[in-house]
């Protein structure tokens, strides 16, 4: 194990960024100057940023550092895909407390580098400093899209179909499971957590993926969504963002919301409301988007995409139609309130 | 005073970003979607990021929140100017602990907004979350420059003149002064800190400016520096960056290093070595750059710029020639080692 103080900031950065090769033509100059230099003559530049703080966004008792690095990068890629763009570069800010060794930070960085390699993204800059408290990770992602391809939250129109990729609520259930095993393990050195039959939930929480495949499939089918957002705070919250920004309402059907079998089993085991988990759980990093009614056939061809409802006039509100088809529940932007 | 939890994340963001108007054509879509949308068809895009952590980079006992916000923005602008570019947009990541009220964060944001207004920069995105420990500020700045105008650290050549703007060491001395008054004030409610005659030092530490004026003056004189860097870690450290990246050596003259009168008085008062403070103090946010020997007359016309030495062949090393002209001290990249 090596002390970070022996290497110093510059030495640590050299070690973390050794052998980095740019994968994008747009990355003219990466790490090692006052700023990175990028070239985007033909496209719009997309920028997004996310901060992850220890014990707020992650608990190192059950989050492996490599997974954490991977997730920190991927959640930013997800925001770029949600604009119908392609992530190209990231900068990485790290606040590191004394209890971490060089090897710890290399592990974290290995996860970031793996995500970048898989998604074709370049690490072009960063800032590494000491933290007196926990680990701080701040990633900013730059991407691009042709001007006409950019999809905002504000373009949904009456009668548009509401679609979502993958399934919802699994990452939230994974978090509940990890928390339960953490409590059970407290003070027991020989404890082995039991994730049998629930591997999918744990993976969704610890190692989410961004839906590049969906963005590519939409392009292949010639579909340009009228609005799009990634599901980070929960379906309900994201629907309300789209409805507010597009000045529309929506009707979403409870029995159409895609939920994995493991998610349902876990909800039952924990005696939690399954639909609440799917609506408000968050961290799914699926894509929620709207398409014109005329694209129904095309969108139904895409594997892993489900039509869950449709856009209405604003005065009809944003509602969930319950499973029996009789009740209507107004959606609320509950999401996470980490500031509470 | 308002509790942040009453507003929630979205409410807080709405309040902080209310009335923001874009000042740059390149900012097509700012706050309020998954990512900002920028347009840079004719220029290179520059990206830099900096993280500020409470009790590592700032002490709220003597740093007013508005100044802190101002500084967090300006230090990023400085990096873009150091590439010979123009800052255009920032994203702001904030980690906020429970002891802050809405008004506190508005104060911090007012400083960020003021800096952006003065330097013509747009706030285009961010992330706001809870922090269980101190305040965390992560700013990423995007700027631009024509491809031919970008100045890296790697272009310095033998016989080039080494120039620096402003004066050095004052911010470091300001920090020493603030720390001294903090110690003196401990436990005393009636304590009034004494900054008389040292206002410049305090201002340099708490409210630094980025040298836009120097970048503009260089353009006006038709000078394209062969290399440039901003002085954030200390002159010595920055000189070594340029020499290493350009594969050259340097000779810098102790008696040419610009030092303000207040800095000298303070060093004497604290019994500290003045040259060490100027060489290794850091946080000056001045520009250090090299120009061809043929630009001597033009560069000497620029107010506030001083030629402090020249570039040599690499085998001659990086040295400081002492005041008496007899000694030569090898420069070391001491800088800050916040990881120690």
């Amino acid at each position: 194990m090596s002390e970070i103080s022996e290497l110093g900031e510059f030495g640590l950065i050299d070690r973390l960024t050794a052998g980095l090769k740019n994968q994008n033509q747009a990355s003219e100059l990466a790490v090692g100057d006052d700023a990175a230099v990028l070239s985007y003559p033909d496209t719009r530049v997309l920028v997004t940023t996310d901060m992850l703080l220890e014990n707020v966004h992650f608990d190192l008792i059950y989050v492996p550092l490599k997974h954490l690095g991977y997730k920190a990068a991927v959640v930013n890629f997800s925001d770029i895909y949600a604009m119908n763009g392609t992530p190209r570069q990231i900068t990485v800010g790290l606040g590191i407390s004394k209890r971490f060794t060089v090897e710890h930070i290399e592990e974290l960085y290995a996860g970031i580098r793996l995500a970048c390699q898989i998604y074709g993204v370049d690490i072009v800059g960063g800032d590494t400093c000491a933290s007196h408290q926990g680990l701080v990770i701040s990633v900013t992602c730059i991407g691009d899209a042709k001007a006409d391809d950019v999809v905002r939250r504000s373009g949904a129109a009456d009668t548009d179909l509401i679609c979502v990729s993958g399934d919802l609520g699994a990452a939230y259930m994974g978090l509940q499971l990890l928390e339960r095993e953490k409590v059970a393990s407290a003070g027991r050195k020989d404890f082995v957590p039991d994730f049998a039959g629930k591997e999918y939930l744990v993976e969704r929480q610890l190692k989410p993926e961004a839906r590049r495949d969906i963005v590519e499939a939409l392009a292949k089918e010639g579909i340009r969504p009228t609005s799009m957002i990634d599901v980070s705070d929960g379906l309900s919250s994201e629907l309300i963002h789209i409805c507010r920004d597009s000045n529309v309402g929506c009707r979403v059907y409870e029995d159409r919301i895609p939920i994995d079998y493991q998610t349902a089993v876990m909800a039952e085991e924990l005696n939690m409301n399954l639909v609440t988990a799917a609506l408000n759980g968050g961290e799914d990093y699926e894509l929620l988007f709207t398409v014109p009614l005329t694209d129904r056939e095309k969108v139904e061809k895409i594997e892993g995409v489900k039509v869950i409802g449709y856009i209405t006039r604003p005065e009809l509100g944003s509602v969930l139609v319950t499973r029996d088809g009789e009740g209507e529940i107004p959606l609320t932007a509950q999401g996470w309130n980490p500031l509470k």
Side-chain angles (χ1 to χ4, degrees), chain A residues 58 67 73 89 93 106-107 113 115 124 133 165 179 184 189 207-210 217 225 239 268 295 316 339:
Chain A
F58 58 89
H67 284 68
Q89 292 95 8
E106 283 187 320
E107 192 68 12
R113 289 175 71 145
V124 295
Q133 292 105 358
S165 65
E179 285 286 339
K189 277 193 179 164
K207 194 168 172 288
E209 299 291 346
L239 279 168
E268 177 128 352
D295 279 340
L316 297 178
L339 298 169

Side-chain angles (χ1 to χ4, degrees), chain A residues 238-268:
Chain A
E238 315 305 356
L239 279 168
I240 283 173
H241 276 307
I242 284 183
C243 288
R244 197 184 60 174
D245 291 2
S246 301
N247 191 31
V248 294
C250 71
R251 284 179 77 81
V252 167
Y253 294 86
E254 183 186 339
D255 60 2
R256 297 280 192 91
I257 295 174
I259 294 172
D260 186 80
Y261 174 75
Q262 290 188 16
T263 308
V265 169
M266 191 73 214
E268 177 128 352

Side-chain angles (χ1 to χ4, degrees), chain A residues 96-244:
Chain A
I96 306 165
S97 68
K98 277 192 183 172
R99 70 179 197 281
F100 294 101
T101 63
V102 173
E103 287 75 12
H104 284 135
I105 303 305
E106 283 187 320
E107 192 68 12
L108 176 75
Y109 228 78
I112 297 174
R113 289 175 71 145
L114 178 62
C116 285
Q117 192 194 318
I118 290 174
Y119 287 87
V121 173
D122 301 321
I123 300 173
V124 295
D127 189 23
T128 305
C129 57
S131 161
H132 285 339
Q133 292 105 358
L135 182 62
V136 178
I137 309 173
S138 176
V139 174
T140 297
C141 185
I142 297 116
D144 72 340
K146 285 186 194 146
D148 291 343
D149 289 345
V150 174
V151 174
R152 303 181 179 189
R153 296 175 179 176
S154 54
D158 190 18
T159 77
D160 280 357
L161 299 174
I162 301 171
C163 311
V164 72
S165 65
D167 60 83
L168 303 175
Y172 180 72
M173 281 302 161
L175 182 62
Q176 303 309 313
L177 175 60
L178 287 162
E179 285 286 339
R180 185 183 73 177
E181 297 299 295
K182 175 188 161 185
V183 170
S185 76
R188 289 172 55 187
K189 277 193 179 164
D190 58 338
F191 185 82
V192 179
D194 178 17
F195 299 139
K198 305 200 174 67
E199 295 81 0
Y200 178 66
L201 305 180
V202 174
E203 195 181 324
R204 289 286 280 179
Q205 172 56 227
L206 295 183
K207 194 168 172 288
E209 299 291 346
R211 299 307 303 258
R212 170 171 57 175
D213 58 332
I214 298 295
V215 170
E216 288 172 353
L218 287 166
K220 202 181 147 203
E221 293 296 333
I223 301 172
R224 187 190 170 283
T226 51
S227 71
M228 186 151 60
I229 191 169
D230 72 326
V231 183
S232 52
D233 293 330
L235 178 66
S236 182
S237 177
E238 315 305 356
L239 279 168
I240 283 173
H241 276 307
I242 284 183
C243 288
R244 197 184 60 174

